[in-house]
Structures are given as C-alpha cells and as structure tokens.
Amino acid sequence: MVDLDHIGGEIGANSAYSDEISWKPALTTFVMLFLPACLAMLGVMYSYRLLLLVAFGWSILPSLYLAATPGIFAWFGVTSLGYLFTFLIMKPYRPG
C-alpha cells in the first residue's frame, strides 16, 4: 500500500511552512505523471507511436525535477525515458 502522507510530504503537500494541507501538489502530480502514463498505455495498446512521444514530452520536465530529488521519486525519470525508448523501438502501425 502506498503511504499518501509520505508522497505528499515529499512533493510538498505537507510543507513545514504551511499549516494547511493543499490538494494542489497532488493534482499537479496527477496531471504531470499519471495522465502521461495513461496516454502511453493507450499508445502501446493501439500501436499509436505519436501518443508515446506526446507522453514523453508531457512528462519529461516533471520527471527530471523528481529525478533530482532524493528517494523513490527519482525513478520517474526512468519511466519518462521508457516512453521515449518504447517510441523508438515500436514499429509504425500500418492499416490494411
């Protein structure tokens, strides 16, 4: 089970300088990391390479930021590179 309090604390939801919990960091993480992963899965399922390239472009900056942080979130950079690698090795879909 994922400890959401730990994730929020790492990304900034539970800042030491704030006395309230904000949903904005969690929403930003969802939009910048989860949605590109869904887009990449659709690209792989339907053999649509362009979706993988879009997922890579969408997630590369947050992934590079998280790769520079200590902890398990540094692995998001590897997933973003995985989108690019999959784009490069996937054969284009040719209907017919």
Coordinates of all heavy atoms in Angstrom, one line a residue:
M1 N 0.8 -1.2 0.0 CA 0.0 0.0 0.0 C 0.9 1.2 0.0 O 1.9 1.3 0.7 CB -0.9 0.0 1.2 CG -1.9 1.0 1.3 SD -3.2 0.6 0.1 CE -4.6 1.3 0.8
V2 N 0.5 2.2 -0.8 CA 1.3 3.5 -0.9 C 0.9 4.4 0.3 O -0.3 4.6 0.5 CB 1.0 4.1 -2.2 CG1 1.7 5.4 -2.3 CG2 1.4 3.2 -3.4
D3 N 1.9 4.9 0.9 CA 1.7 5.9 2.0 C 1.5 7.3 1.4 O 2.5 7.9 1.1 CB 2.8 5.8 3.0 CG 2.6 6.7 4.2 OD1 1.5 7.2 4.4 OD2 3.6 6.9 4.9
L4 N 0.2 7.7 1.3 CA 0.0 9.0 0.6 C 0.5 10.2 1.4 O 0.9 11.2 0.8 CB -1.5 9.1 0.3 CG -2.1 8.1 -0.7 CD1 -3.6 8.4 -0.8 CD2 -1.4 8.2 -2.0
D5 N 0.5 10.1 2.7 CA 1.1 11.2 3.5 C 2.6 11.4 3.2 O 3.1 12.5 3.1 CB 0.9 10.9 5.0 CG -0.6 11.0 5.4 OD1 -1.3 11.7 4.7 OD2 -0.9 10.4 6.4
H6 N 3.3 10.3 3.0 CA 4.7 10.3 2.7 C 4.9 11.0 1.3 O 5.8 11.8 1.1 CB 5.3 9.0 2.8 CG 6.8 9.0 2.4 ND1 7.7 9.6 3.3 CD2 7.5 8.5 1.4 CE1 8.9 9.5 2.7 NE2 8.8 8.8 1.6
I7 N 4.1 10.5 0.3 CA 4.2 11.1 -1.0 C 3.9 12.6 -1.0 O 4.6 13.4 -1.6 CB 3.3 10.4 -2.0 CG1 3.8 8.9 -2.2 CG2 3.2 11.1 -3.3 CD1 2.9 8.1 -3.0
G8 N 2.9 13.0 -0.3 CA 2.5 14.4 -0.2 C 3.6 15.2 0.4 O 3.9 16.3 0.0
G9 N 4.2 14.6 1.5 CA 5.3 15.3 2.1 C 6.5 15.5 1.3 O 7.2 16.5 1.3
E10 N 6.8 14.5 0.5 CA 8.0 14.5 -0.4 C 7.8 15.6 -1.5 O 8.7 16.3 -1.8 CB 8.2 13.2 -1.1 CG 8.8 12.1 -0.2 CD 10.3 12.4 0.1 OE1 11.0 12.9 -0.8 OE2 10.7 12.0 1.2
I11 N 6.6 15.7 -2.0 CA 6.3 16.6 -3.2 C 6.0 18.0 -2.7 O 6.1 18.9 -3.4 CB 5.2 16.0 -4.1 CG1 5.7 14.7 -4.7 CG2 4.8 16.9 -5.2 CD1 4.7 13.9 -5.5
G12 N 5.5 18.1 -1.5 CA 5.3 19.4 -1.0 C 3.9 19.7 -0.4 O 3.6 20.8 0.0
A13 N 3.1 18.7 -0.3 CA 1.7 18.9 0.2 C 1.7 19.2 1.6 O 0.9 20.0 2.1 CB 0.8 17.7 -0.1
N14 N 2.6 18.6 2.4 CA 2.7 18.9 3.8 C 3.9 19.7 4.1 O 4.9 19.2 4.7 CB 2.7 17.5 4.6 CG 1.5 16.7 4.4 OD1 0.4 17.3 4.3 ND2 1.6 15.4 4.4
S15 N 3.9 20.9 3.7 CA 5.1 21.8 3.9 C 5.2 22.2 5.3 O 4.2 22.4 6.0 CB 4.9 23.0 3.0 OG 6.0 23.9 3.2
A16 N 6.4 22.3 5.8 CA 6.7 22.8 7.1 C 6.3 24.3 7.3 O 6.2 24.8 8.4 CB 8.2 22.6 7.5
Y17 N 6.2 25.0 6.2 CA 5.9 26.4 6.3 C 4.4 26.7 6.1 O 4.0 27.9 6.1 CB 6.7 27.1 5.1 CG 8.2 26.9 5.3 CD1 8.8 26.1 4.4 CD2 8.9 27.5 6.3 CE1 10.2 25.8 4.5 CE2 10.2 27.3 6.4 CZ 10.9 26.5 5.5 OH 12.2 26.2 5.6
S18 N 3.6 25.7 6.0 CA 2.2 25.9 5.9 C 1.5 25.1 6.9 O 1.8 24.0 7.3 CB 1.8 25.4 4.5 OG 0.4 25.5 4.4
D19 N 0.4 25.7 7.4 CA -0.4 25.0 8.5 C -1.6 24.3 7.9 O -2.4 23.7 8.6 CB -0.8 25.9 9.6 CG -1.6 27.1 9.1 OD1 -1.7 27.3 7.8 OD2 -2.2 27.8 9.9
E20 N -1.8 24.3 6.6 CA -2.9 23.6 6.0 C -2.5 22.7 4.9 O -1.4 22.8 4.3 CB -3.9 24.6 5.4 CG -3.3 25.4 4.2 CD -4.3 26.5 3.7 OE1 -4.9 27.2 4.5 OE2 -4.4 26.6 2.5
I21 N -3.3 21.7 4.6 CA -3.0 20.7 3.6 C -3.6 21.1 2.3 O -4.8 21.4 2.3 CB -3.5 19.3 4.0 CG1 -2.7 18.8 5.3 CG2 -3.3 18.3 2.9 CD1 -3.2 17.5 5.8
S22 N -2.8 21.2 1.3 CA -3.3 21.7 0.0 C -3.4 20.5 -1.0 O -2.5 19.6 -1.0 CB -2.3 22.7 -0.6 OG -2.7 23.0 -1.9
W23 N -4.4 20.5 -1.8 CA -4.6 19.4 -2.8 C -3.9 19.8 -4.1 O -3.8 18.9 -5.0 CB -6.1 19.2 -3.1 CG -6.7 18.5 -2.0 CD1 -7.4 19.0 -1.0 CD2 -6.6 17.1 -1.7 NE1 -7.8 18.0 -0.1 CE2 -7.3 16.8 -0.6 CE3 -6.0 16.0 -2.4 CZ2 -7.5 15.5 0.0 CZ3 -6.1 14.7 -1.9 CH2 -6.9 14.5 -0.7
K24 N -3.4 21.0 -4.2 CA -2.7 21.4 -5.5 C -1.5 20.6 -5.9 O -1.4 20.2 -7.0 CB -2.4 22.9 -5.4 CG -1.9 23.4 -6.7 CD -1.7 24.9 -6.7 CE -1.2 25.4 -8.1 NZ -0.8 26.8 -8.1
P25 N -0.6 20.3 -4.9 CA 0.5 19.4 -5.3 C 0.1 18.0 -5.8 O 0.7 17.5 -6.7 CB 1.4 19.4 -4.1 CG 1.0 20.6 -3.3 CD -0.4 20.8 -3.6
A26 N -0.9 17.5 -5.1 CA -1.4 16.1 -5.5 C -2.0 16.2 -6.9 O -1.8 15.3 -7.7 CB -2.4 15.6 -4.5
L27 N -2.8 17.3 -7.2 CA -3.4 17.4 -8.5 C -2.3 17.6 -9.6 O -2.4 17.1 -10.7 CB -4.4 18.6 -8.5 CG -5.1 18.8 -9.8 CD1 -6.0 17.6 -10.2 CD2 -6.0 20.1 -9.7
T28 N -1.3 18.4 -9.3 CA -0.2 18.6 -10.2 C 0.5 17.3 -10.5 O 0.9 17.0 -11.7 CB 0.8 19.7 -9.7 OG1 0.1 20.9 -9.4 CG2 1.9 19.9 -10.6
T29 N 0.8 16.5 -9.5 CA 1.4 15.3 -9.7 C 0.6 14.3 -10.6 O 1.1 13.7 -11.5 CB 1.7 14.6 -8.3 OG1 2.5 15.5 -7.5 CG2 2.4 13.3 -8.5
F30 N -0.7 14.3 -10.3 CA -1.6 13.5 -11.1 C -1.6 13.9 -12.6 O -1.5 13.1 -13.5 CB -3.1 13.7 -10.6 CG -4.1 13.0 -11.4 CD1 -4.3 11.6 -11.2 CD2 -4.9 13.6 -12.2 CE1 -5.2 10.9 -11.9 CE2 -5.9 13.0 -13.0 CZ -6.0 11.6 -12.8
V31 N -1.6 15.2 -12.9 CA -1.7 15.7 -14.2 C -0.3 15.5 -14.9 O -0.3 15.2 -16.1 CB -2.1 17.2 -14.3 CG1 -1.9 17.8 -15.6 CG2 -3.5 17.4 -13.9
M32 N 0.8 15.7 -14.2 CA 2.1 15.6 -14.8 C 2.7 14.2 -14.9 O 3.6 14.0 -15.7 CB 3.1 16.5 -14.1 CG 2.7 18.0 -14.3 SD 2.9 18.4 -16.0 CE 2.2 20.0 -16.0
L33 N 2.2 13.3 -14.1 CA 2.8 12.0 -14.1 C 1.8 10.8 -14.4 O 2.1 9.9 -15.2 CB 3.5 11.7 -12.8 CG 4.7 12.6 -12.5 CD1 5.2 12.3 -11.1 CD2 5.8 12.4 -13.5
F34 N 0.6 10.9 -13.9 CA -0.3 9.8 -14.1 C -1.0 9.9 -15.4 O -1.1 8.8 -16.1 CB -1.4 9.8 -13.0 CG -2.4 8.7 -13.1 CD1 -2.0 7.4 -12.7 CD2 -3.7 8.9 -13.5 CE1 -2.9 6.4 -12.8 CE2 -4.6 7.9 -13.6 CZ -4.2 6.6 -13.2
L35 N -1.4 11.0 -15.9 CA -2.1 11.1 -17.2 C -1.2 10.8 -18.3 O -1.6 10.1 -19.3 CB -2.7 12.5 -17.3 CG -3.9 12.8 -16.4 CD1 -4.4 14.2 -16.7 CD2 -5.0 11.8 -16.6
P36 N 0.1 11.2 -18.3 CA 1.0 10.8 -19.4 C 1.2 9.2 -19.4 O 1.3 8.6 -20.5 CB 2.3 11.5 -19.1 CG 2.0 12.7 -18.4 CD 0.8 12.3 -17.5
A37 N 1.2 8.6 -18.2 CA 1.3 7.2 -18.2 C 0.1 6.5 -18.8 O 0.2 5.5 -19.5 CB 1.5 6.7 -16.7
C38 N -1.1 7.1 -18.6 CA -2.3 6.5 -19.2 C -2.2 6.7 -20.7 O -2.6 5.8 -21.5 CB -3.5 7.2 -18.6 SG -3.9 6.8 -16.9
L39 N -1.7 7.9 -21.1 CA -1.6 8.1 -22.6 C -0.6 7.1 -23.2 O -0.8 6.6 -24.3 CB -1.1 9.6 -22.8 CG -1.3 10.2 -24.1 CD1 -2.8 10.3 -24.4 CD2 -0.6 11.6 -24.1
A40 N 0.5 6.9 -22.5 CA 1.5 5.9 -23.0 C 0.9 4.5 -23.1 O 1.1 3.8 -24.1 CB 2.7 5.9 -22.2
M41 N 0.1 4.1 -22.1 CA -0.6 2.8 -22.2 C -1.5 2.7 -23.4 O -1.5 1.7 -24.0 CB -1.3 2.5 -20.9 CG -0.4 2.2 -19.7 SD -1.2 1.5 -18.2 CE -2.6 2.5 -18.0
L42 N -2.3 3.7 -23.6 CA -3.1 3.7 -24.8 C -2.3 3.6 -26.1 O -2.7 2.9 -27.0 CB -4.0 5.0 -24.8 CG -5.1 5.0 -23.8 CD1 -5.8 6.4 -23.9 CD2 -6.1 3.9 -24.1
G43 N -1.2 4.3 -26.1 CA -0.3 4.3 -27.3 C 0.2 2.9 -27.5 O 0.3 2.4 -28.7
V44 N 0.6 2.2 -26.5 CA 1.1 0.8 -26.6 C -0.1 -0.1 -27.0 O 0.1 -1.0 -27.9 CB 1.8 0.4 -25.3 CG1 2.1 -1.1 -25.3 CG2 3.0 1.2 -25.1
M45 N -1.2 0.0 -26.4 CA -2.3 -0.9 -26.7 C -2.8 -0.8 -28.1 O -3.2 -1.8 -28.7 CB -3.5 -0.6 -25.7 CG -3.2 -1.1 -24.3 SD -4.5 -0.9 -23.1 CE -5.9 -0.1 -23.9
Y46 N -2.8 0.4 -28.6 CA -3.3 0.6 -30.0 C -2.2 0.8 -31.0 O -2.5 1.2 -32.2 CB -4.3 1.8 -30.0 CG -5.5 1.6 -29.2 CD1 -5.8 2.2 -28.0 CD2 -6.4 0.6 -29.7 CE1 -6.9 2.0 -27.3 CE2 -7.6 0.4 -28.9 CZ -7.8 1.0 -27.8 OH -9.0 0.8 -27.0
S47 N -1.0 0.6 -30.6 CA 0.2 0.7 -31.5 C 0.3 2.1 -32.2 O 0.5 2.2 -33.4 CB 0.2 -0.4 -32.6 OG 0.3 -1.6 -32.0
Y48 N 0.0 3.1 -31.4 CA 0.0 4.5 -31.9 C 1.2 5.2 -31.3 O 1.2 5.7 -30.2 CB -1.3 5.2 -31.5 CG -1.6 6.5 -32.3 CD1 -1.5 6.5 -33.7 CD2 -1.9 7.6 -31.6 CE1 -1.8 7.7 -34.3 CE2 -2.2 8.8 -32.3 CZ -2.1 8.8 -33.6 OH -2.3 10.0 -34.3
R49 N 2.3 5.3 -32.1 CA 3.6 5.8 -31.6 C 3.5 7.3 -31.2 O 4.2 7.7 -30.2 CB 4.6 5.7 -32.7 CG 4.9 4.3 -33.1 CD 5.9 4.2 -34.2 NE 7.2 4.7 -33.7 CZ 8.1 5.3 -34.5 NH1 7.9 5.4 -35.8 NH2 9.3 5.7 -34.0
L50 N 2.7 8.1 -31.8 CA 2.6 9.5 -31.5 C 2.2 9.7 -30.1 O 2.7 10.7 -29.4 CB 1.7 10.2 -32.5 CG 1.6 11.7 -32.3 CD1 3.0 12.4 -32.6 CD2 0.6 12.3 -33.3
L51 N 1.3 8.9 -29.5 CA 0.9 9.0 -28.1 C 2.1 8.8 -27.2 O 2.2 9.5 -26.1 CB -0.2 8.1 -27.8 CG -1.6 8.4 -28.4 CD1 -2.6 7.3 -28.0 CD2 -2.1 9.7 -28.0
L52 N 3.0 8.0 -27.5 CA 4.2 7.8 -26.7 C 5.1 9.0 -26.7 O 5.7 9.4 -25.7 CB 4.9 6.5 -27.2 CG 4.2 5.2 -26.8 CD1 4.8 4.1 -27.7 CD2 4.4 4.9 -25.4
L53 N 5.2 9.6 -27.9 CA 6.0 10.8 -28.0 C 5.4 11.9 -27.2 O 6.1 12.7 -26.5 CB 6.2 11.2 -29.4 CG 7.3 12.3 -29.7 CD1 8.6 11.8 -29.2 CD2 7.3 12.6 -31.2
V54 N 4.1 12.1 -27.3 CA 3.4 13.1 -26.5 C 3.6 12.8 -25.0 O 3.8 13.8 -24.2 CB 1.9 13.2 -26.9 CG1 1.1 14.0 -26.0 CG2 1.8 13.7 -28.4
A55 N 3.4 11.6 -24.6 CA 3.6 11.2 -23.2 C 5.0 11.6 -22.7 O 5.2 12.1 -21.6 CB 3.3 9.8 -22.9
F56 N 6.0 11.3 -23.5 CA 7.4 11.7 -23.2 C 7.5 13.2 -23.0 O 8.1 13.6 -22.0 CB 8.4 11.1 -24.2 CG 9.8 11.6 -24.0 CD1 10.5 11.1 -23.0 CD2 10.3 12.6 -24.9 CE1 11.8 11.6 -22.8 CE2 11.6 13.0 -24.7 CZ 12.3 12.5 -23.7
G57 N 7.1 13.9 -24.0 CA 7.2 15.4 -23.9 C 6.4 16.0 -22.8 O 6.9 17.0 -22.2
W58 N 5.3 15.4 -22.4 CA 4.5 15.9 -21.3 C 5.1 15.6 -20.0 O 5.0 16.4 -19.1 CB 3.1 15.2 -21.4 CG 2.1 15.7 -20.5 CD1 2.2 16.5 -19.5 CD2 0.7 15.3 -20.5 NE1 0.9 16.7 -18.9 CE2 0.0 15.9 -19.5 CE3 0.0 14.4 -21.4 CZ2 -1.3 15.8 -19.3 CZ3 -1.4 14.2 -21.1 CH2 -2.0 14.9 -20.1
S59 N 5.8 14.5 -19.8 CA 6.3 14.1 -18.5 C 7.8 14.3 -18.3 O 8.3 14.1 -17.2 CB 6.0 12.6 -18.3 OG 6.8 11.8 -19.2
I60 N 8.5 14.7 -19.3 CA 10.0 14.8 -19.1 C 10.4 15.9 -18.1 O 11.3 15.6 -17.3 CB 10.7 15.0 -20.5 CG1 12.2 14.9 -20.3 CG2 10.3 16.4 -21.1 CD1 12.7 13.6 -19.9
L61 N 9.8 17.1 -18.1 CA 10.2 18.1 -17.2 C 9.9 17.7 -15.7 O 10.8 17.9 -14.9 CB 9.7 19.4 -17.6 CG 10.2 20.0 -18.9 CD1 9.6 21.4 -19.2 CD2 11.7 20.2 -18.8
P62 N 8.7 17.3 -15.4 CA 8.5 16.9 -14.0 C 9.3 15.7 -13.6 O 9.8 15.6 -12.5 CB 7.0 16.5 -14.0 CG 6.4 17.1 -15.2 CD 7.5 17.3 -16.2
S63 N 9.6 14.8 -14.6 CA 10.4 13.6 -14.3 C 11.9 14.0 -14.0 O 12.5 13.5 -13.1 CB 10.4 12.6 -15.4 OG 9.1 12.1 -15.6
L64 N 12.4 15.0 -14.7 CA 13.7 15.5 -14.5 C 13.8 16.2 -13.1 O 14.8 16.0 -12.4 CB 14.2 16.4 -15.6 CG 14.5 15.8 -16.9 CD1 14.8 16.8 -18.0 CD2 15.6 14.8 -16.8
Y65 N 12.8 16.9 -12.8 CA 12.7 17.5 -11.5 C 12.7 16.5 -10.4 O 13.5 16.6 -9.4 CB 11.5 18.4 -11.3 CG 11.3 19.0 -9.9 CD1 12.1 20.0 -9.4 CD2 10.3 18.4 -9.1 CE1 11.9 20.5 -8.2 CE2 10.1 18.9 -7.8 CZ 10.9 19.9 -7.4 OH 10.8 20.4 -6.1
L66 N 11.9 15.5 -10.5 CA 11.8 14.4 -9.5 C 13.1 13.6 -9.5 O 13.4 13.0 -8.4 CB 10.6 13.6 -9.7 CG 9.2 14.3 -9.4 CD1 8.1 13.4 -9.7 CD2 9.2 14.7 -7.9
A67 N 13.7 13.4 -10.6 CA 15.0 12.6 -10.6 C 16.1 13.3 -9.8 O 17.0 12.6 -9.4 CB 15.4 12.4 -12.1
A68 N 16.0 14.6 -9.7 CA 17.0 15.3 -8.9 C 16.7 15.3 -7.4 O 17.5 15.8 -6.6 CB 17.1 16.8 -9.4
T69 N 15.6 14.7 -7.0 CA 15.2 14.7 -5.6 C 15.7 13.3 -5.0 O 15.7 12.3 -5.7 CB 13.7 14.9 -5.3 OG1 13.0 13.8 -6.0 CG2 13.2 16.2 -5.9
P70 N 15.9 13.3 -3.7 CA 16.3 12.0 -3.1 C 15.0 11.2 -2.9 O 13.9 11.7 -2.8 CB 16.9 12.4 -1.8 CG 16.3 13.7 -1.4 CD 16.1 14.4 -2.8
G71 N 15.2 9.9 -2.9 CA 14.1 9.0 -2.6 C 13.6 8.3 -3.8 O 14.2 8.3 -4.9
I72 N 12.5 7.6 -3.6 CA 12.0 6.7 -4.7 C 11.4 7.5 -5.9 O 11.3 7.0 -7.0 CB 10.9 5.8 -4.1 CG1 10.6 4.6 -5.0 CG2 9.6 6.5 -3.8 CD1 9.9 3.5 -4.4
F73 N 11.1 8.8 -5.7 CA 10.5 9.6 -6.8 C 11.5 9.8 -7.9 O 11.1 10.3 -9.0 CB 9.9 10.9 -6.3 CG 8.9 10.6 -5.2 CD1 9.1 10.8 -3.9 CD2 7.6 10.1 -5.6 CE1 8.1 10.6 -3.0 CE2 6.6 9.8 -4.7 CZ 6.9 10.1 -3.4
A74 N 12.8 9.6 -7.6 CA 13.8 9.8 -8.7 C 13.6 8.8 -9.8 O 14.1 9.0 -10.9 CB 15.2 9.6 -8.1
W75 N 12.9 7.7 -9.6 CA 12.7 6.7 -10.6 C 11.7 7.2 -11.7 O 11.5 6.5 -12.7 CB 12.2 5.4 -10.0 CG 13.3 4.7 -9.3 CD1 13.6 4.7 -8.0 CD2 14.4 3.9 -10.0 NE1 14.8 4.0 -7.8 CE2 15.2 3.5 -9.0 CE3 14.6 3.6 -11.3 CZ2 16.4 2.7 -9.2 CZ3 15.7 2.8 -11.5 CH2 16.6 2.4 -10.5
F76 N 11.0 8.3 -11.5 CA 10.1 8.8 -12.5 C 10.8 9.2 -13.7 O 10.3 9.2 -14.8 CB 9.2 9.9 -12.0 CG 8.0 9.5 -11.2 CD1 8.0 9.7 -9.8 CD2 7.0 8.8 -11.8 CE1 6.9 9.3 -9.1 CE2 5.9 8.3 -11.0 CZ 5.9 8.6 -9.7
G77 N 12.1 9.6 -13.6 CA 12.9 9.9 -14.8 C 13.1 8.7 -15.7 O 13.1 8.8 -16.9
V78 N 13.2 7.5 -15.1 CA 13.4 6.3 -15.8 C 12.1 6.0 -16.6 O 12.1 5.5 -17.8 CB 13.7 5.1 -14.9 CG1 13.8 3.8 -15.6 CG2 15.1 5.4 -14.2
T79 N 10.9 6.2 -16.0 CA 9.7 5.9 -16.7 C 9.5 6.9 -17.9 O 9.1 6.4 -19.0 CB 8.5 6.1 -15.8 OG1 8.4 7.4 -15.3 CG2 8.5 5.1 -14.7
S80 N 9.9 8.1 -17.8 CA 9.9 9.0 -18.9 C 10.8 8.6 -20.0 O 10.4 8.7 -21.2 CB 10.2 10.4 -18.4 OG 10.0 11.4 -19.4
L81 N 12.0 8.1 -19.7 CA 12.9 7.6 -20.7 C 12.3 6.3 -21.3 O 12.6 6.0 -22.5 CB 14.3 7.4 -20.1 CG 15.0 8.6 -19.8 CD1 16.4 8.3 -19.1 CD2 15.3 9.5 -21.0
G82 N 11.6 5.6 -20.5 CA 10.9 4.4 -21.1 C 9.9 4.7 -22.2 O 9.8 4.0 -23.1
Y83 N 9.2 5.8 -22.0 CA 8.3 6.3 -23.1 C 9.0 6.6 -24.4 O 8.6 6.2 -25.4 CB 7.5 7.5 -22.7 CG 6.7 7.5 -21.4 CD1 6.5 8.6 -20.6 CD2 6.2 6.3 -20.9 CE1 5.7 8.5 -19.5 CE2 5.4 6.2 -19.8 CZ 5.2 7.3 -19.0 OH 4.5 7.3 -17.9
L84 N 10.2 7.2 -24.2 CA 11.0 7.6 -25.4 C 11.5 6.3 -26.0 O 11.5 6.1 -27.3 CB 12.1 8.5 -25.1 CG 13.0 8.9 -26.2 CD1 12.2 9.7 -27.3 CD2 14.1 9.8 -25.7
F85 N 12.1 5.4 -25.2 CA 12.6 4.1 -25.7 C 11.6 3.3 -26.4 O 11.8 2.8 -27.5 CB 13.3 3.4 -24.6 CG 13.9 2.1 -25.0 CD1 15.1 2.1 -25.8 CD2 13.3 0.9 -24.6 CE1 15.6 0.9 -26.1 CE2 13.9 -0.3 -25.0 CZ 15.1 -0.3 -25.8
T86 N 10.4 3.2 -25.9 CA 9.3 2.5 -26.5 C 8.9 3.1 -27.8 O 8.6 2.4 -28.8 CB 8.1 2.4 -25.5 OG1 8.5 1.8 -24.3 CG2 7.0 1.5 -26.1
F87 N 8.8 4.4 -27.8 CA 8.5 5.1 -29.1 C 9.5 4.8 -30.2 O 9.2 4.5 -31.3 CB 8.5 6.7 -28.9 CG 8.5 7.5 -30.1 CD1 7.4 7.6 -30.8 CD2 9.7 8.1 -30.6 CE1 7.3 8.4 -32.0 CE2 9.7 8.8 -31.8 CZ 8.5 9.0 -32.5
L88 N 10.8 4.7 -29.8 CA 11.9 4.4 -30.8 C 11.8 3.0 -31.3 O 12.2 2.8 -32.5 CB 13.2 4.8 -30.2 CG 13.5 6.3 -29.9 CD1 14.8 6.4 -29.2 CD2 13.5 7.1 -31.2
I89 N 11.5 2.1 -30.5 CA 11.5 0.6 -30.9 C 10.2 0.2 -31.5 O 10.2 -0.9 -32.1 CB 12.0 -0.3 -29.8 CG1 11.0 -0.3 -28.6 CG2 13.4 0.1 -29.3 CD1 11.3 -1.4 -27.6
M90 N 9.1 0.9 -31.3 CA 7.8 0.5 -31.8 C 7.7 0.7 -33.3 O 8.1 1.8 -33.8 CB 6.7 1.2 -31.1 CG 5.3 0.7 -31.5 SD 4.0 1.7 -30.7 CE 4.0 0.9 -29.1
K91 N 7.2 -0.3 -33.9 CA 7.1 -0.2 -35.4 C 5.8 0.6 -35.7 O 4.8 0.5 -34.9 CB 6.9 -1.6 -36.0 CG 8.2 -2.4 -35.9 CD 8.0 -3.7 -36.6 CE 9.3 -4.5 -36.5 NZ 9.2 -5.9 -37.0
P92 N 5.8 1.4 -36.7 CA 4.6 2.2 -37.0 C 3.5 1.3 -37.4 O 3.7 0.3 -38.0 CB 5.0 3.1 -38.2 CG 6.5 3.1 -38.2 CD 6.9 1.8 -37.5
Y93 N 2.3 1.6 -37.0 CA 1.1 0.9 -37.4 C 0.7 1.1 -38.8 O 0.6 2.3 -39.2 CB -0.1 1.3 -36.4 CG -1.4 0.6 -36.8 CD1 -1.5 -0.8 -36.5 CD2 -2.4 1.3 -37.4 CE1 -2.7 -1.4 -36.8 CE2 -3.6 0.7 -37.7 CZ -3.8 -0.7 -37.4 OH -4.9 -1.3 -37.7
R94 N 0.6 0.1 -39.6 CA 0.2 0.2 -41.0 C -1.1 -0.6 -41.2 O -1.2 -1.8 -41.2 CB 1.3 -0.5 -41.8 CG 2.6 0.1 -41.6 CD 3.3 0.4 -42.9 NE 4.7 0.8 -42.5 CZ 5.2 2.0 -42.7 NH1 4.4 2.9 -43.2 NH2 6.4 2.2 -42.4
P95 N -2.2 0.2 -41.3 CA -3.5 -0.5 -41.5 C -3.6 -1.2 -42.8 O -3.0 -0.7 -43.8 CB -4.5 0.7 -41.5 CG -3.7 1.9 -41.7 CD -2.3 1.6 -41.3
G96 N -4.3 -2.3 -42.8 CA -4.6 -2.9 -44.1 C -3.9 -4.2 -44.2 O -3.5 -5.1 -44.5

